[in-house]
Amino acid sequence: QDVNELVVTLLDVPRLSPRQLRVLMLCAELIYDFFHADGDGLSERALRSPEFAELERLAALYERPTEELIKEYFAEEARYHERMSAGGDRGLGTLTVAVRIEPRHALLE
């Protein structure tokens, strides 16, 4: 998942206070510890699901300064565009065309 999608995800989620974030992560770790049961319960692989990894990643992003996230976003955008242009894949992108017609030069018949 790239930075663009994470930024959109963060914008869709109501802002948590630092205390709420700590409580959320503590609850996630407690649930993990309970079901893992020191190796006698569910496997670590089963518990470290993509959703759990996403929660950890979002929590890490939550604690970073906004300016840092903005810089990372634009750096990721630049890397993406470099990869697209270096790969020779010219089929992706947007083209905007503006046409101006002046009546005195138009051929009317």
Side-chain angles (χ1 to χ4, degrees), residues 1-2 6 9-10 21 24-25 28-29 31-32 44-62:
Q1 192 174 39
D2 66 7
L6 290 175
T9 302
L10 286 173
L21 182 61
L24 176 65
M25 294 312 297
E29 286 299 324
I31 291 168
Y32 172 85
E44 185 173 339
R45 183 171 183 237
L47 292 170
R48 296 281 180 196
S49 67
E51 292 81 12
F52 189 83
E54 178 73 5
L55 178 63
E56 288 179 320
R57 186 170 45 249
L58 286 174
L61 287 174
Y62 226 85

Side-chain angles (χ1 to χ4, degrees), residues 25-44:
M25 294 312 297
L26 177 63
C27 290
E29 286 299 324
L30 286 172
I31 291 168
Y32 172 85
D33 290 343
F34 177 80
F35 285 105
H36 185 57
D38 292 326
D40 292 331
L42 295 173
S43 71
E44 185 173 339

